[in-house]
Amino acid sequence: MPFERRYEIRNNQARLINLGERLPHTITDIAVNNDGTLRSIRQEPTGNIDIPARRLAWYGHDREGANWAGTSVLRPAYGPWLLKHEMWRVNATSIRRFGMGVPNVKAPAGATPGQVLEASRLAAAMRVGDQSGVGLPHGFDLAITGMQGSVPDAMAFIRYLDQQQSTMALAGLIDLGNTTNGSRALGDTFLDLFLLSLQAVADDIASTAT
């Protein structure tokens, strides 16, 4: 996250009057020198105008070498977050599709293709409601078939992914009331660790600002 510094000359002194945000998603190019130091950046919608490094205050988390973009603090949480949203969709679909069972209508032995098609239409048209009901031709049978066998526990996996995201941010204290086991007395210890991590980030920011 770079900021562009702007100064004002007063009494023969340069005074900082503005730190202009240069939001990361607006930066189209980061130019570096041969030794890996920052040379300039290019930002939309300024076009071909470069902002030299001497005018920038640069904040980069876990920057390595010439990778001035750094690494997002939330990068380790991306995988669990992505899988969690997929599990939400899968779990919602499974509840919506199989939560009340699947209706099936069995046509009588020796049924014609038209009767089989009619049985399929009757099963697909069934809906749940206070006044719901169905009338079947002679020889047709109706059944509600539920899930058979074991299926993956989507909710347990979602809880696991939540814990992985809170762990990467050292925010385990927010899981203490939701886990099936573990000591609630660890709350103060987790909170101290979390505050230490926040202080480390604050010190990093303050070092760049200073």
Side-chain angles (χ1 to χ4, degrees):
M1 179 68 186
F3 293 81
E4 185 176 5
R5 298 174 294 177
R6 188 156 56 89
Y7 295 89
E8 181 180 76
I9 304 299
R10 283 185 288 170
N11 299 324
N12 294 324
Q13 292 181 330
R15 298 179 180 272
L16 182 67
I17 61 172
N18 181 260
L19 279 175
E21 293 178 336
R22 301 296 174 255
L23 297 176
H25 68 271
T26 68
I27 297 175
T28 59
D29 184 58
I30 300 176
V32 296
N33 298 309
N34 291 334
D35 59 357
T37 56
L38 181 67
R39 183 169 72 237
S40 63
I41 63 172
R42 186 168 297 175
Q43 182 194 25
E44 291 182 346
T46 57
N48 296 324
I49 301 177
D50 291 337
I51 304 175
R54 56 184 170 79
R55 284 165 41 191
L56 296 173
W58 194 280
Y59 294 85
H61 178 70
D62 282 350
R63 181 176 67 85
E64 294 184 1
N67 177 25
W68 284 83
T71 304
S72 171
V73 175
L74 298 178
R75 180 65 190 178
Y78 176 70
W81 173 86
L82 186 64
L83 289 175
K84 176 182 176 179
H85 280 255
E86 179 64 23
M87 288 302 100
W88 273 352
R89 290 191 290 269
V90 170
N91 200 42
T93 300
S94 64
I95 293 173
R96 182 170 58 249
R97 186 71 178 89
F98 301 108
M100 296 295 293
V102 178
N104 62 83
V105 178
K106 183 180 179 181
T112 65
Q115 288 177 312
V116 174
L117 184 61
E118 178 65 12
S120 176
R121 187 192 66 79
L122 288 171
M126 290 191 64
R127 296 293 184 272
V128 176
D130 293 338
Q131 303 298 323
S132 295
V134 61
L136 297 176
H138 178 71
F140 283 64
D141 291 323
L142 170 67
I144 303 295
T145 305
M147 292 289 292
Q148 299 178 355
S150 61
V151 295
D153 189 348
M155 288 305 301
F157 188 46
I158 289 174
R159 284 192 293 269
Y160 165 78
L161 294 174
D162 282 339
Q163 291 172 14
Q164 291 300 300
Q165 293 177 73
S166 60
T167 299
M168 60 75 50
L170 298 181
L173 74 162
I174 66 176
D175 289 327
L176 288 179
N178 302 317
T179 53
T180 56
N181 49 41
S183 174
R184 306 298 188 267
L186 290 173
D188 288 341
T189 303
F190 282 170
L191 180 59
D192 290 342
L193 182 62
F194 179 65
L195 293 178
L196 283 173
S197 70
L198 292 184
Q199 186 62 53
V201 175
D203 289 343
D204 191 29
I205 294 174
S207 175
T208 300
T210 302

